[in-house]
């Protein structure tokens, strides 16, 4: 078995459950013939630490698959994927739209599998997983019998692994647009052309909580994409919902989703840059009872963090100014580089600069189908805060 030898004490983080080994933690490579292959990980004294796959061209050189001396073969992937699927059926039974495999959270780093009714969307984000893609598709067909499997490998993360971006139907035939039900709402999902893998599954449980805060309220849904938060707000009894997104295609899907749920009279959608729109609304003296901010990741690497913090600060500060006294701000960040402490600090400074006081009603994370590993803080990427915003006394 090819192997790597870690530098002294670099096994400590791995032994408590972290799954990434960085290039500067490796002292020696032994017998490695090609990137993507399975290797043993050994500590500086030669003791067995685990087994994973390697890519010497990536900053994350090895990703752990197991801490035991197991053979990594079709049977290994079948067992892991089945365990992940069974866990969803146990925790979230009967969902039509659900993440079935969540990368490191299911001990399959680099693999994402989402189900939308009879369609499956997969991502193989690393070279090690890309080499097992056909086997993984075979297993998915065996376990789930989907009508169609689509790969959504059109993400820049793959460039870090020296992989090309690509997307398309890889198994089955037919329409890539499906309709799914979620908590009594119906949504159109395009698994081939939609954002991420088709829908923002990670906010499901947070959208459900929104319903408690919106009855009879005027709601602004920023970065609304296909209208997820907007539809839940209308379902919760909001008097008016305005959704905003920079994508014309997203706005059109959002309007369709409002229509099929019977909320066209309550929901309206407009194409606009959210930053510009919020500034304009502030100048006009617009006011809302509830504002949702669910932006895309402003930061994808640590070097972009300072710019991202400024962006989060501006939109949250301006949103707070637009809220009625005692209004509710639901604000999110989906980047693991923005940790909870930093995100909270941004909210503190945004409320200060808006001349407001913010009380935390709820602090939430991603849905249970996006599991978080306690030893690996990178797996908790989504922060979602429900804030009550009032005039400063």
């Amino acid at each position: 078995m090819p192997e790597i030898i870690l530098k002294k004490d670099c096994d400590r983080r791995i032994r408590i459950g972290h799954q990434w080994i960085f290039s500067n933690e490796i002292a020696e490579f032994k017998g490695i013939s090609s990137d993507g292959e399975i290797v043993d990980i050994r500590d500086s004294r030669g003791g067995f630490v685990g087994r994973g796959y390697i890519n010497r061209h990536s900053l994350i050189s090895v990703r752990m698959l197991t801490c035991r001396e197991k053979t990594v073969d079709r049977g290994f992937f079948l067992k892991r994927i089945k365990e992940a699927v069974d866990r969803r059926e146990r925790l979230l039974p009967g969902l039509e739209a659900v993440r079935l495999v969540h990368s490191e959270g299911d001990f399959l780093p680099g693999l994402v599998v989402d189900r939308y009714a009879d369609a499956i969307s997969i991502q193989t984000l690393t070279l090690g997983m890309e080499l097992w893609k056909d086997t993984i598709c075979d297993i998915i067909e065996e376990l789930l019998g989907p009508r169609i499997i689509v790969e959504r490998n059109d993400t820049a993360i793959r460039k870090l692994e020296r992989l090309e971006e690509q997307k398309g139907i890889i198994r089955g035939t037919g329409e890539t647009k499906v309709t799914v039900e979620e908590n009594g709402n119906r949504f159109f999902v395009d698994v081939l052309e939609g954002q991420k893998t088709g829908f923002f599954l990670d906010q499901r449980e947070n959208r459900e909580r929104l319903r408690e805060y919106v009855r009879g309220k005027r709601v602004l849904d920023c970065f609304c994409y296909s209208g997820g938060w907007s539809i839940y707000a209308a379902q919760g009894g909001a008097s008016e919902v305005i959704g905003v997104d920079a994508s014309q295609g997203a706005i059109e899907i959002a309007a369709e989703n409002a229509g099929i749920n019977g909320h066209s009279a309550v929901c309206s959608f407009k194409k606009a840059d959210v930053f510009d729109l919020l500034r304009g609304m502030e100048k006009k003296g617009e006011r809302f009872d509830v504002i949702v901010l669910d932006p895309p990741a402003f930061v994808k690497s640590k070097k972009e963090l300072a710019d991202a913090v400024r962006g989060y600060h501006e939109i949250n500060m301006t949103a707070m100014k637009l809220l009625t006294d005692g209004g509710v701000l639901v604000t999110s960040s989906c980047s693991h580089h923005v940790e909870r402490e930093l995100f909270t600090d941004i909210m503190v400074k945004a409320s200060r600069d808006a001349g407001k006081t913010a009380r935390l009603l709820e602090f939430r994370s991603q849905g249970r189908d996006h599991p978080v590993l306690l030893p690996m803080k990178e797996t908790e990427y989504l922060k979602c805060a429900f804030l009550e915003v009032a005039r400063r006394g």
Side-chain angles (χ1 to χ4, degrees), residues 193 195 223-227 243-257 268-273:
E193 300 297 338
Q195 290 186 14
F223 309 98
C224 70
Y225 180 48
S226 57
V244 183
D245 200 278
S247 165
Q248 181 61 37
I251 292 300
E252 291 171 0
I253 295 173
E256 286 188 78
N257 284 331
S268 62
F269 300 93
K270 60 175 65 179
K271 179 181 180 297
D273 177 274

Side-chain angles (χ1 to χ4, degrees), residues 218-334:
R218 189 177 189 227
V219 179
L220 178 65
D221 177 12
C222 299
F223 309 98
C224 70
Y225 180 48
S226 57
W229 291 97
S230 295
I231 305 308
Y232 274 81
Q235 184 193 36
S239 60
E240 180 186 7
V241 182
I242 300 173
V244 183
D245 200 278
S247 165
Q248 181 61 37
I251 292 300
E252 291 171 0
I253 295 173
E256 286 188 78
N257 284 331
I260 63 172
N261 288 284
H263 299 314
S264 295
V266 173
C267 296
S268 62
F269 300 93
K270 60 175 65 179
K271 179 181 180 297
D273 177 274
V274 169
F275 286 86
D276 292 341
L277 183 83
L278 291 178
R279 294 186 200 108
M281 285 181 164
E282 182 194 354
K283 289 179 181 178
K284 292 177 182 178
E286 288 261 24
R287 291 294 181 267
F288 295 89
D289 303 302
V290 179
I291 297 177
V292 177
L293 297 177
D294 188 12
F298 288 163
V299 51
K300 296 182 179 179
S301 66
K302 285 189 176 180
K303 65 182 180 182
E304 300 172 344
L305 188 55
D307 288 340
V309 168
R310 284 190 288 272
Y312 284 122
H313 177 275
E314 180 182 344
I315 58 170
N316 282 280
M317 177 188 67
T318 311
M320 289 178 184
K321 291 179 179 179
L322 290 170
L323 281 168
T324 55
D325 192 35
V328 173
L329 175 64
V330 181
T331 181
S332 298
S333 168
C334 60

Side-chain angles (χ1 to χ4, degrees), residues 104-262:
E104 286 84 1
D106 287 299
F107 309 112
L108 287 167
L111 177 64
V112 172
V113 180
D114 290 339
R115 178 173 63 201
Y116 298 101
D118 61 356
I120 294 289
S121 177
I122 76 164
Q123 293 179 310
T124 46
L125 302 173
T126 56
L127 176 59
M129 278 298 169
E130 178 74 10
L131 297 177
W132 289 94
K133 183 166 66 179
D134 285 343
T135 298
I136 290 165
C137 287
D138 290 342
I139 292 168
I140 290 170
E141 289 186 320
E142 176 184 332
L143 292 178
L144 303 170
R147 172 180 57 85
I148 191 172
I149 301 177
V150 171
E151 70 169 321
R152 289 301 305 270
N153 284 324
D154 50 335
T155 171
I157 295 174
R158 280 171 58 97
K159 293 179 181 178
L160 301 176
E161 294 275 317
R162 297 195 176 182
L163 293 170
E164 293 183 359
E165 294 184 34
Q166 55 195 34
K167 67 177 180 179
I169 298 171
I170 52 177
R171 298 286 175 95
T173 58
E175 181 60 59
T176 62
K177 294 179 181 179
V178 297
T179 305
V180 298
E181 188 274 339
E182 181 185 275
N183 292 323
N185 298 307
R186 294 166 63 208
F187 294 100
F188 289 114
V189 175
D190 190 334
V191 295
L192 187 60
E193 300 297 338
Q195 290 186 14
K196 295 184 78 172
T197 66
F199 196 60
F200 291 94
L201 297 170
D202 50 6
Q203 291 276 26
R204 178 196 311 105
E205 293 163 29
N206 301 330
R207 288 190 291 261
E208 188 174 15
R209 292 295 299 143
L210 178 69
R211 295 184 295 197
E212 182 176 323
Y213 298 96
V214 298
R215 182 160 298 279
K217 306 296 186 181
R218 189 177 189 227
V219 179
L220 178 65
D221 177 12
C222 299
F223 309 98
C224 70
Y225 180 48
S226 57
W229 291 97
S230 295
I231 305 308
Y232 274 81
Q235 184 193 36
S239 60
E240 180 186 7
V241 182
I242 300 173
V244 183
D245 200 278
S247 165
Q248 181 61 37
I251 292 300
E252 291 171 0
I253 295 173
E256 286 188 78
N257 284 331
I260 63 172
N261 288 284

Side-chain angles (χ1 to χ4, degrees), residues 9-121:
D9 296 332
C10 286
D11 59 305
R12 290 180 178 177
R13 180 171 48 82
I14 306 305
R15 289 190 187 278
I16 64 170
H18 205 284
Q19 294 177 30
W20 294 350
I21 297 171
F22 296 94
S23 57
N24 61 1
E25 296 177 311
I26 299 174
E28 188 178 357
F29 299 93
K30 288 187 173 182
I32 295 167
S33 58
S34 62
D35 288 305
E37 71 179 337
I38 305 300
V39 299
D40 278 353
I41 300 113
R42 298 190 177 276
D43 62 27
S44 59
R45 299 176 301 279
F48 182 82
V49 177
R51 190 163 285 170
Y53 59 77
I54 189 166
N55 188 344
R56 290 165 293 183
H57 299 296
S58 174
L59 176 63
I60 305 171
S61 292
V62 178
R63 297 175 195 254
M64 286 275 291
L65 289 170
T66 178
C67 60
R68 300 177 183 178
E69 295 188 65
K70 294 181 178 179
T71 301
V72 178
D73 55 11
R74 187 186 190 280
F76 175 89
F77 282 96
L78 174 62
K79 185 174 185 294
R80 281 284 166 89
I81 293 171
K82 188 177 187 305
E83 287 172 347
V85 171
D86 289 347
R87 186 171 185 273
R88 272 59 176 188
E89 287 302 315
R90 185 173 70 253
L91 293 177
L92 300 161
L95 289 183
E96 289 187 348
V98 62
R99 175 150 296 182
L100 296 175
V101 177
H102 184 58
S103 197
E104 286 84 1
D106 287 299
F107 309 112
L108 287 167
L111 177 64
V112 172
V113 180
D114 290 339
R115 178 173 63 201
Y116 298 101
D118 61 356
I120 294 289
S121 177

